[in-house]
Amino acid sequence: MTSDDAVLPAGLPRQHAPENLLQQYGCGPIKFNGSNNALYERHLLFDNALAPSEAGNRERYEAAARSVRDILSQRWQQTEQVYSRENPKRIYYLSMEFLIGRSLSNNILNLRLEPLVGQFLKENQLDEWAILAEEPDAGLGNGGLGRLAACFLDSMASMQLPGMGYGLRYEYGIFKQTIVDGWQQEQPDNWLRRPDPWEVARPQYAVAVELGCSFEVRGGSLKAITGKPSKLLGIPYDRPIVGYGGKTINTLRLWASATPDSFDFQEFSAGEFVGALAECLTAETVTRVLYPDDSTSMGQGLRFVQEYFLVACSLADLIRRFRMNDSNWNSLPDKVAIQLNDTHPSLAVAELMRVLLDHAGLGWELAWDITNRTFAYTNHTLLPEALEKWPLQWFELMLPRQLQIILEIDRRLREEVAARWPDDTSRAERMSIVEHGGRLVRMAHLAIVGSHSTNGVAAIHSRLLRDVTVRDLAELYPERFNNKTNGVTPRRWLLLSNPGLASCITNAIGDRWITKTDDLQRLKPLADDGEFIAAVRGAKRQAKLRFTEWLKSQGGIQVDPDTIFDCQIKRIHEYKRQLLNGLRIAALYNRLRESPHSDMPSRTFFFAGKAAPAYHVAKFIIKFLNNLADTIDGDPVARGRLRVVFLPEYSVSMAERLIPASDVSNQISTAGYEASGTSNMKFMMNGALTLGTRDGATIEMAEAAGEENFFLFGLTAEQIAASQGWYSPWWHYENEPETHAVIDLILSGHFSRHEPMLVDALRNILLAGGDTYRHLADFVSYMEADLRLQSLYAKPEDWTRKAVLNLASSGRFSSDRTISEYASEIWNAKPCPVL
Ligand SMILES: *Cc1c(COP(=O)(O)O)cnc(C)c1O
C-alpha cells in the first residue's frame, strides 16, 4: 500500500470511509496499516519486535487490539475531560462481577470500524476468526448477574450517560470446565497470563484500605491476627467501554490488591523475611480468584474481605472525584448515584457513613440523609441460600468502626419500628439488620434500609420480593420498592453475534433499531410477507451452518443443521431444572423406542453450563445429561432422530455462537424461582421460540409477543407456593403413565450402568427427597407443550412467522430500555454528550 486512499474500501458511502473514521477519533494522519507508520505494524514491530510475516495469531490479536485501543484512546480521554468540565451527575455501578467476554470484535463494532478492519484483513489475507479467537473471555462473573452488569455498561455508554463500573480485577476468573467421563472438572482460568491489551494500570490513583486486623498464610489458609491493624493497597486498572457510534467511551475500573511498600519494608529491615513475604502473599491473595458460586453465599472470610475491598477502593475513588468539583458534602446525592448490584457491595452503606461522620465531620442525621439519597439496591434472587449474612465477629475483627455504625443504624431502625408498631414486638426482630440470636448481619436489610430504592429484576420477582421475602421492610418503606425488568444489549447479542439476521432486519426497516430497539415493532407487518420470512429462514440456516462448522472444528463433534436445535444454556441449578429437560428427552427417546417409525421431527438438544464446584447435586445433573447423550448416541433407534450434546465450557463467546443458531429456547425454571433470566431475551432477539414456564421475565416476554406465540406450560408461582405441604411426586409417578415409564427407565440404570450412586442421587432428587423443585408436577404439561411445538415445526412458514413476531416484540428487552428506566426513576441522571 502506498497511499491513504488505498485503504478505502470500494463502494462504501462517504461517511464510512476509513480515513474519516480515523479522523473522527482524532487519528487523522495515522494509518491503520500499510506503511512504516501504520498502527498495526508499529505494534508488531515495537511491542513484539516482529515483522508482519513472522507474527502468529496471538501477536496479530495483540497488535490489532492495541491498534483499536490507540484509535479509541483520544475519545476515551475526551469523554473524561467533558465529564470533568460539565460536572454532570455520575452513575457508579458497583458489582463483584462483570462478565464481559471478548472486547476486540465488540469494540470494532461499536466504533463502527468494520469497513476498515474488513479491508485490512482482506489485504493482508488474515483469518479474522482465528485472530479473534486468541482473545480470552474476560470471565469475571458467574452468570446472569455479571452479564447484566456488562450489558448495562454498554447501554450507558451508548446512551451517553456518565456511568462507570467498579469491580475487582480477579487474576483468575470463572473456572474452566472440562467433562471427563461425564463429570465436570474444574481448571483455573489464568486469563491474565498474557498481557491484556485493553487494560490501563493507573497506579497514581491507588487507594489504601485499612483493616482492623492482619492476616497470615498458615498451612495454606488465611489466619487473622487480632489487634494488629493492616493496610491493603488497591491499584485501579481501567478498561474502555465503547458506546455504539464511538462518541462516548466510559470506563470500567477494576481493583487489584497489593501490599503497601512501606509496610513490607519495615518487616524486611527487621529481618523478618518470611513474615514479610507471607504478608505480601496475603495482600495479593485478596483479588486472586472469583468465587465460583452463583446464587449462593458460601460465607467465607476471604469473600468478605473482597467485598469490603471493592467498596472501600471504589468509594475513596469516587469521593476524590466528587471533591475535585464540589466542596459541599450536601450535594453528593445530586452529583453521585451508586447502584449496588445485589448485596455484595452493600458494606458501602456503612463505609460512606464512616467517611461522612469521621472524615467530613457531619452529624448523624445529615450523613444518613446523604447516604440514603446516594444509594440504590438491586435484588437478584429470592433464594434463601443466596441472602448474604456475615458473622458479627468478622466485623469486630476487621471493621470495628463500620460495626459501630451498623449497630447504630440497627438501633435507630428498631426504634422506628417499635414506635410505628408498638404492639407487634416480634416485628423489629424480623426486620433488624443484626439478627439477634445468630449474631449475623443481614446484608439485604442493610442495603434496603441504607438506600432510597430497592428494585427486583422482573415484575413477578419485584412483586414477590415486596409481598413475601422482605414484606415487613416494604411496609415500612413502600415508596422505595420498584421494578426494573432486565434487558440485554442488542449490539452484542444481535448485531455482533448474528450478522445474517441483523442485515435482514436492516434491509427491511433501516438500522435505527440498533439504538432504538422499539423500531423492531415495524417488523410485525412483515410476519406475513413471504419474502421477508424466506430471508429470516435463510439467516437462521446460515447461523446454524456457521455454528455447525465451528463445532466440528472444536474437536470433531458433528451435528446435523437440518434438525431442530433445542437449547438450554445457563448455570446448572436445581431450580433451573435441567433435569426436567432430561426427563423430556428421555421420554421422547422412549417414544422412539416404542414406535421407531413415528413422524417425530429430528432434533438436536444442546446443554451448556457450569456447576459451582461444591454443588454436588448440580454435578450429578451434568453427569446424568452426559450419560443421556452417550446412551442415545449409542442406540441405533435414535440415529439421525435424536441427539444430545453437552457443550463444555459455557461462556459469553459460546452463547454468542449458539444462540443465533437456536430454534428453541428452554426457560423452564420452577415458577417463582428465576428472578428474571436474560438468556430468554437473547434467544427471543435471535428468532428462537420459547418453551417456558411462567417465571421471571419470560412472563413479560410472552405478554409482549402474545401468549399464542409462546409455548408456555406448568404451574404458576402461586400454584407452586400453594403446593407446599401437600405436594408429592409419588402421585405423578403412580398416576401418569409416561411419568412412570420415564422414571422407571432412568432408575433401571438404562442411562447409568454400573453407576448406582447416580441412580440413587436421581431417585432422591425426583422422588424420595420430595422433588423440591416440582419436576414431576410440570412434566406432563411440558410434554404437551413440546408436542405443540413439534407440530408447528412441521409448518415452516408458520414457525418463522411466530419467530418474527417474537423478534418484533423483543425491543422492550433491550438493556437500553432498562437503563433509561434506572436513569429517570432511580438515578435522576441525564446524558452528558461528548460531541
Ligand atoms: C446471558 C448469560 C447468562 C444468563 O443466563 P440465564 O439463562 O438468564 O441464567 C449466563 N451466562 C452467560 C455466559 C450468559 O451469556
Side-chain angles (χ1 to χ4, degrees), residues 99 143-144 147 493 569-570 576 650-652 655 677-679 682:
L99 191 50
R147 185 53 234 176
W493 295 109
I569 53 174
K570 48 184 75 242
K576 290 179 182 279
Y650 183 46
S651 64
V652 169
T678 48
S679 78
K682 300 167 194 164

Side-chain angles (χ1 to χ4, degrees), residues 745-816:
L745 185 66
I746 291 169
L747 298 188
S748 74
H750 185 82
F751 303 105
S752 45
R753 287 184 230 285
H754 322 299
E755 286 162 328
M757 280 256 293
L758 182 59
V759 171
D760 283 349
L762 294 170
R763 181 186 294 108
N764 203 47
I765 302 168
L766 294 171
L767 287 173
D771 186 17
T772 313
Y773 294 95
R774 306 298 190 258
H775 296 87
L776 300 197
D778 283 348
F779 173 69
V780 167
S781 78
Y782 189 22
M783 296 308 294
E784 280 165 10
D786 187 79
L787 215 55
R788 283 185 268 139
L789 181 135
Q790 290 183 38
S791 43
L792 184 70
Y793 197 76
K795 295 174 271 180
E797 257 73 67
D798 294 359
W799 178 281
T800 306
R801 182 175 178 276
K802 282 200 197 304
V804 168
L805 290 173
N806 267 272
L807 168 59
S809 310
S810 67
R812 265 215 83 221
F813 304 99
S814 160
S815 44
D816 296 352

